[in-house]
Amino acid sequence: KALISVQRTPHQQAAQSTLMRAFLVLAALATSSALKVADPATKVATKVPAAKLPSSAASALALRGGGVVSGSVWLKSFSAFMGMYAVGFVLAPAMVIEQNFDTPYDKYHLFISRLSGIAFLTLIYTFSTMETAAAVPIALTMACLTAVFGPIYAELKLETKPAHKMAFLMAPLIVSGFLAL
């Protein structure tokens, strides 16, 4: 199968290069707030474990603010994982399609891939500006729905390449997300 090649003039290539640099700067600024690490000593324990735990385990969980996995750490991991895909969709959609699917792409695939990448990056930025307790359940729901309608659907219904199996690294992310609730 031949891939559709899009020919660009030097002016278009320069404009695309400038656009990519501007986007990288924007993406770096948007994700920089996700790198802030909260001081665990300043957190107030407000979440009570649902299951009856030994007092030492309950005290340890209360000290860290709840869940087995820290919500803020999980949210940063989620942001990094999904952010890498999103940046790929925006900056190199052709490469993402070539690596994952055994099908040619066209300008419409490139268009919708970039748009999806921008939407994902916007959501990731939004999660980084929200309270962690509110952002984690929404991000976890997004991860679950993305897994079902993304990699799982693709593996069952589309012609994928072996590299597409890397998307199943979402499974540990989802499991740890439930532990962060």
Side-chain angles (χ1 to χ4, degrees):
K1 296 179 182 179
L3 295 176
I4 296 172
S5 176
V6 179
Q7 298 294 326
R8 292 185 175 91
T9 66
H11 176 71
Q12 288 173 322
Q13 289 175 346
Q16 184 178 15
S17 177
T18 302
L19 180 63
M20 283 188 191
R21 284 189 197 120
F23 182 76
L24 283 174
V25 169
L26 179 64
L29 291 173
T31 57
S32 66
S33 65
L35 299 175
K36 294 180 190 171
V37 178
D39 181 11
T42 62
K43 286 188 174 183
V44 177
T46 58
K47 193 172 183 181
V48 178
K52 180 80 172 153
L53 297 172
S55 63
S56 61
S59 298
L61 289 176
L63 179 63
R64 55 181 298 140
V68 176
V69 173
S70 164
S72 64
V73 170
W74 182 84
L75 194 59
K76 287 174 182 60
S77 300
F78 167 84
S79 297
F81 184 86
M82 297 301 278
M84 286 187 289
Y85 276 106
V87 168
F89 285 131
V90 173
L91 298 180
M95 184 180 79
V96 173
I97 294 169
E98 286 173 355
Q99 285 180 341
N100 290 287
F101 300 101
D102 192 22
T103 188
Y105 61 88
D106 59 19
K107 62 184 179 182
Y108 301 101
H109 290 99
L110 300 178
F111 165 76
I112 200 69
S113 294
R114 285 191 177 106
L115 190 60
S116 297
I118 289 169
F120 270 71
L121 287 171
T122 303
L123 279 170
I124 290 167
Y125 172 75
T126 302
F127 293 146
S128 74
T129 63
M130 296 172 64
E131 290 290 326
T132 302
V136 168
I138 299 168
L140 180 58
T141 302
M142 178 184 162
C144 292
L145 292 173
T146 299
V148 170
F149 292 105
I152 294 172
Y153 178 86
E155 286 294 322
L156 296 174
K157 303 286 186 179
L158 303 174
E159 298 79 29
T160 60
K161 291 184 177 177
H164 187 264
K165 304 277 190 274
M166 291 294 290
F168 287 110
L169 289 174
M170 284 183 77
L173 183 70
I174 291 171
V175 170
S176 62
F178 279 105
L179 295 174
L181 292 177

